[in-house]
Amino acid sequence: MMLLGLCASMHTASGTLSSRHDVYGFEDVALPPLPSGARLVLGESRPKVPGSSSSAVAGESHDTMMWSKLREYVALHERDDAGACGVGGEVWPAASALCEWLGNHSAEVCGSRILELGSGTGACGLYAAALGAASVQLTDGGPVELISLARANILRNRHLFRAGSSVEAPPPPWGGDSPPS
């Protein structure tokens, strides 16, 4: 069994990147395409980073602009209203690296059983499923809305999974309400 514990980018159904910035308010994060050339389609639940679409102020140094974006990001995530799914509803930059690694080890992934801890959107586990994993469990201790988001992402990408594979996002085994299916 492989164990995954990182988090991808949102691609539209046409495979193009969204115009939103990543969680830091900087550049978009892009998952590598699958060997077939297909891309995962992932939904996220995150608030827009304030000021991320604004251009730099004339004469503002690069360092000043970067620190400003970091302050905005921290202020956003210090508030309790980070979205119904919390930070798990975001696709994080580490997912791109993990998915690239998975793609480079696709022979090991194919037919294996995958457990993704802290899956959030499920990006890495879904990538493994699209590479042919036999069984994928997306787990997260976040709110019910996050499990529902992961389940919606499973449905968005099921056409990429190997016939007969099992891809699930069960409720946490330690308790809590089960989200609606």
Side-chain angles (χ1 to χ4, degrees):
M1 175 184 283
M2 288 186 146
L3 188 63
L4 306 180
L6 297 175
C7 262
S9 165
M10 181 172 168
H11 291 274
T12 63
S14 65
T16 60
L17 283 174
S18 72
S19 61
R20 293 176 8 180
H21 289 76
D22 74 2
V23 295
Y24 301 109
F26 303 111
E27 299 174 10
D28 279 317
V29 178
L31 286 181
L34 294 160
S36 66
R39 292 191 179 271
L40 292 179
V41 177
L42 298 171
E44 295 180 273
S45 172
R46 66 177 184 184
K48 182 170 171 38
V49 177
S52 63
S53 61
S54 62
S55 57
V57 175
E60 186 176 63
S61 74
H62 177 72
D63 286 347
T64 302
M65 181 182 66
M66 297 297 273
W67 279 111
S68 175
K69 286 183 177 184
L70 277 172
R71 278 192 300 276
E72 291 171 354
Y73 171 78
V74 169
L76 174 72
H77 285 80
E78 284 179 340
R79 294 195 314 247
D80 290 334
D81 63 345
C85 294
V87 296
E90 302 175 25
V91 178
W92 291 83
S96 181
L98 181 53
C99 290
E100 185 173 342
W101 185 89
L102 290 168
N104 290 335
H105 295 85
S106 59
E108 296 169 50
V109 174
C110 188
S112 65
R113 296 177 354 177
I114 305 292
L115 173 62
E116 185 176 8
L117 302 175
S119 62
T121 63
C124 295
L126 295 174
Y127 197 90
L131 290 173
S135 173
V136 176
Q137 295 286 310
L138 306 176
T139 65
D140 203 295
V144 171
E145 294 85 359
L146 187 56
I147 305 296
S148 295
L149 176 62
R151 288 177 176 170
N153 284 335
I154 291 169
L155 294 175
R156 286 182 183 101
N157 293 285
R158 66 180 172 219
H159 65 282
L160 298 172
F161 308 153
R162 186 176 76 173
S165 65
S166 170
V167 183
E168 299 175 332
W174 51 85
D177 294 332
S178 177
S181 295

